[in-house]
Amino acid sequence: MKLIIRDDAESASEYVARYIIKRINDFAPTPERLFILGLPTGSSPEKIYKYLVEAYKNDDISFANVVTFNMDEYVDLAEDHPESYHSFMYKHFFAHVNVKPENVHLLNGNAPDLLVECAEYERKIREAGGIELFLGGIGPDGHIAFNEPGSSLRSRTRVATLAEDTIRANSRFFDNDISQVPRQALSVGVGTVMDAREVVLIVTGHNKAVALQKVVEGSVSQMWTASCLQMHENAVIACDDAATDEMLVKNVRYFKSIERVEVEQIERKGRATVAAISEDSRSNQWRGALKKLQVDTNGANKKTHKAENGELTPDSMHGRLVDSAIAMDDIEKMEDGMKLTNMGSRVNTIEM
Amino acid sequence: MAPRLTKFTNGLLLQDDRLIAGDLWISSDSGKIISPQSAFYGSGSTPDLVLDLKGKIVSPGFIEAQLNGYSGLDFAKQDPNFEQRFRAVRKGLIKAGVTSFTPTMTSSLPEVYHTNLPYLGRTQARTASEGAECLGAHVEGPFLNPERNGIHTKEVLQKAKVWDDIERCYGTDNFRHIRYITAAPELGNMVDLIPEFVARDIIYSTGHSDATFEQAQDAARAGATMVTHMFNAMRPFGHRDPGIFGLLGQQPSRPTTPTQSPQQSSPTTSPTIRSASNKPPVTPPQQFSLPRRALSNSSTRTPTPRSSIDSTRRRSSPRSSLSISTSITSVPDATPEPPFFGLISDGIHLSPPTLKIAYSAHPTGTILITDAMPLTGLPDGVYPWTDGENIIKHGSRLTLEKNGRIAGSAASLLECVNNFIEWTGCGVAEGLRAVTQTPARMLREEGKGRLGVGCDADLCVLELDEDGKLVLRQVWKFGECVHAT
C-alpha cells in the first residue's frame, strides 16, 4: 500500500479530496457510465467533505453522475436522529452538492429484516458494477467500517456488534453518555471493501497511531482488520505526522522518500518539456485539458510500469493515470497540447 | 402550478432570540416547513424552486393578537355582508405581514356576539389564497370595569356573577369560536369563573381593570395568563401599589436558591447566642422579633400566599412609610409565572421608556399588538363611532372627537415592531419574536410562530433599509407566496 504522509490533518484531508476530484474528473462519468464512490462517516472524513463541497461550489467537480454507497449505519437509531449516519452525510455532504437522491445508498438500520437489508445492499453494489473508489478511515482498534477485531477478513455486509472501544470513542457524539450509543450497526464487510477497485483511507491524529502502525507494519490480522488492505492492489493511506508516531522512523522516512523521488523524476522530465511551451497557453489550458484526460482503468499499463520502476514505486495506481506526471513514459502518447498539463497536474498533487 | 417544494438559501432565519444563517425548506402541499433531510432520503425530492435570499431575514408570519377591525369593517358591528367583508379583511391583512390573527370584538350587547362570533371562529381551510388565518375571536368585554373602559361604551358593560351570565352573553354554542377573553377580574365573581374559561381552552387576559396587585395575583393564580395592553385602561403603576404591572416583577415559581425567611434576617438574634443556649429549636413565630410593629402583621404567622392587608379597599391616602402591600416573603409553590402581556408600541399609547421598562422586566412575555381600529386601511378624516360619537383619523393616530381620548390606532404591526426595536434596543430578533413566537405561545398555538420542522410555512421575508428599519418584501402562507414587493 502507498502511504502519503502530510504535516497535519488539514493537508492530508485536502490531498485526499483533490485526489478524489481528480479521479472522478478523469473518469468523466456519464449517466450511462456512473462513478461508484464508497463513503465513510466520522471526524476524519469531515474535513474531506468540506473540501469536496468547496470544490463543487467552485465548479471544479460535479456529482451528478456519481453514485454513493456509505459504509455503515447504526441499528435502531431513527434516521433523523442528529447522530445517525444519514444525518451526518446529509449535513456535511448531500445538502451542499448536486448528488442525485436516487444515486445515494445508505444502509437502513431500521429495516424490518436486517439480514435482507444487508444482502440487498451487496446486490445493489454488484448491480452498480462494483465500487470504483472506496474512501474510508480506520478506528483506534484498526477496524475498517465497523469490522471490529475478530471479524472475518472475507466478511460481507452484515450486522456488526460494536466493540466497547468503539462505543466509548463514539460516545462523544452522544453527550458523552455511553448508554445512548447504539450497540449494533449494519456495516460493509472487509471483503466488500476489498472488492473495490481502489481504496483510499484517511488516518489522522495521534490516537490512530497504534492502529496505523499495526495496519502498515504489522501482518495481515483479523485483530486489525484494516491490515487486510495489504493484500489490495490499489490501496492508499493518507495520514498526518501524528498518526505515524508509532511507526518505525525508517519506514516513515522511506514512504516520504518515495514521494520525493517521484517529485525529482517529474522535475527532471518536466524541465525538458516546459521549455517548449509558451507561458500564456499553460495557464489557460491546464485545467480545461485536465478534464479531457482519460483514465486507463483496465490497468493495461500496469505491467509496463512494474518493469520500469520496480520497487521504488510499489503502487501501480499512478500507471493508470495516463496524464500523471509519474507515468512519464506515456508522454509520447499524449497530444502536443497536453504536455503542459503534466506540469499542472504535478503541481496539483505535490503541493498538498 | 405553484412550486411544491421551495428552498430558501442564504437567508438569516429567526431562531428564538437570534438570527442564524441557514436554509429553509417548505412544502406547499402540506403547507409546512419540512426537513430537507427527510425529503432527500424519503421521497428523493429536490426543491422545485430555490430562492437565494442574499442575506434577507426570514421570520415566521406575524401573529396579531389585538385587532378591532380593518378596512372599515368593525368586528363588533353587525353587518349584512359580514362574511364577505371579513374575507376581504383577511386578504388585505396578509399583505401587511400578518399571517394569523385573533379578531377582537370590543364590548357589545349579547345579540351582537350571537351574530358575529360564528364568523370569527377559527379558519378551518388551509388555503393560502384566502389570506390571513383567523385563530378565533378575542372578546374584549363586556365584563370590564367601567372606570377603565377606554373607549368602550359604558352602557354595555356588565358584571358576571355565575357562569350562566357568561353563557347568556356570548351564546353557549359560540364558546368554540372564542380564543381568548379580556375581563376585569375584580368585578363580580370573575376570579371564580376564570377556571371555567381555562377548562374550555379559552385564554383569560386581565385588562380594562382597576385591579390591585393582589387582585391581579388572585386572577393569575386562578389561571389568567395574559394582560391586555399593559398600562392602558388599568390602574397606574405605583411604587407601593404596582397594580397589574406588578405581575411582571414576580419571582419565578421555583427559585433555584432558597429565599430567606424573615427570622434569619432579624437583627436582634445572633446565631452564637442561639447555639450556646442549648435550647431546642423554637418555631419561627416565637423566636422572631421584629424591630417595628407595623410589619408584625405579615410575619408573626407562617407565610401564606395571601397578603394579610385588606386588598379590597381602595386606598385613598398613602400608608405609613413602612407598611407595604406586597407580602415580603415569597412562597415557592404559590407564586405564578409572570404572564404574557401586550404592548402597543405605536408611539401614541405608550412612551418609549415605558416600553423599555416593561420589556426589560419580562422579555419573553412581551407581545406587540396594534389594537388597531377598523379605520386602519382607510384614508384620513372623521368617521362615526358608536352612539353618535365620532373618531378623527390622522395618519396612524385616532382620537375620540368629544374628549380627545386616544381611540386606538391605525398603525401596522410592522411599524410597531420597528418602533419597539428603536426604543428598547432589543435587536431585530427579539423585536420579531414579540410578534411571532411569543403570541403563539400565549395562544398555545403549537404549529405557528417558529421556523421549526413541522410548523406551518407562514413566513415573512424582510430586509433592513438604510435607516435600520425592517421592510417587508415577501409574505408566504401555507408554503405559497401570497405577497411580494
Side-chain angles (χ1 to χ4, degrees), chain A residues 52-254:
Chain A
L52 290 176
V53 168
E54 226 177 272
Y56 166 73
K57 295 205 165 119
N58 286 334
D59 281 328
D60 290 340
I61 175 99
S62 164
F63 292 95
N65 294 315
V66 172
V67 171
T68 66
F69 282 92
N70 262 69
M71 279 182 157
D72 41 26
E73 174 61 282
Y74 289 116
V75 166
D76 276 343
L77 192 66
E79 190 189 282
D80 54 12
H81 188 284
E83 290 307 324
S84 79
Y85 288 167
H86 279 75
S87 296
F88 179 97
M89 288 308 297
Y90 187 79
K91 187 165 73 156
H92 290 109
F93 192 53
F94 298 138
H96 312 286
V97 299
N98 64 339
V99 67
K100 296 189 184 135
E102 61 266 24
N103 287 343
V104 166
H105 302 275
L106 279 110
L107 283 156
N108 177 11
N110 295 303
D113 189 335
L114 296 177
L115 296 180
V116 168
E117 173 71 14
C118 294
E120 277 296 299
Y121 205 67
E122 287 280 338
R123 184 184 61 78
K124 283 188 203 140
I125 295 176
R126 259 197 318 275
E127 276 175 8
I131 297 189
E132 186 65 33
L133 190 156
F134 219 131
L135 176 64
I138 65 176
D141 57 1
H143 70 234
I144 184 155
F146 270 132
N147 296 291
E148 307 285 358
S151 303
S152 160
L153 298 178
R154 299 257 282 224
S155 48
R156 311 304 306 184
T157 306
R158 70 207 191 289
V159 182
T161 309
L162 308 191
E164 216 182 297
D165 237 13
T166 309
I167 293 177
R168 211 172 296 128
N170 284 0
S171 67
R172 70 186 188 278
F173 300 123
F174 290 86
D175 278 333
N176 287 320
D177 181 3
I178 285 189
S179 64
Q180 299 244 20
V181 184
R183 295 302 194 251
Q184 284 188 320
L186 298 182
S187 168
V188 294
V190 184
T192 321
V193 177
M194 289 292 287
D195 278 354
R197 281 184 279 287
E198 184 174 3
V199 182
V200 176
L201 298 189
I202 175 78
V203 183
T204 55
H206 179 73
N207 62 324
K208 302 286 170 79
V210 171
L212 187 63
Q213 190 271 330
K214 290 284 185 231
V215 165
V216 176
E217 292 177 354
S219 48
V220 173
S221 160
Q222 65 169 356
M223 300 313 287
W224 305 91
T225 51
S227 63
C228 199
L229 291 177
Q230 292 178 20
M231 304 295 291
H232 197 286
E233 285 176 332
N234 294 319
V236 178
I237 300 185
C239 62
D240 61 356
D241 264 337
T244 62
D245 274 354
E246 293 285 335
M247 288 175 64
L248 291 175
V249 176
K250 72 172 184 193
N251 290 332
V252 175
R253 283 218 216 116
Y254 172 69

Side-chain angles (χ1 to χ4, degrees), chain B residues 187-259:
Chain B
L187 297 182
N189 291 327
M190 191 49 86
V191 174
D192 296 326
L193 298 174
I194 293 176
E196 297 280 342
F197 289 107
V198 175
R200 284 170 175 73
D201 279 332
I202 297 174
I203 313 281
Y204 181 95
S205 178
T206 306
H208 283 276
S209 156
D210 198 43
T212 59
F213 173 64
E214 291 76 30
Q215 287 166 330
Q217 269 193 316
D218 290 343
R221 260 181 236 113
T225 50
M226 166 75 171
V227 175
T228 299
H229 45 58
M230 182 70 82
F231 300 111
N232 300 110
M234 58 179 65
R235 178 187 285 242
F237 171 78
H239 49 290
R240 277 189 298 274
D241 177 23
I244 298 171
F245 182 66
L247 292 175
L248 300 191
Q250 294 179 123
Q251 294 169 41
S253 43
R254 259 167 286 279
T256 48
T257 53
T259 48

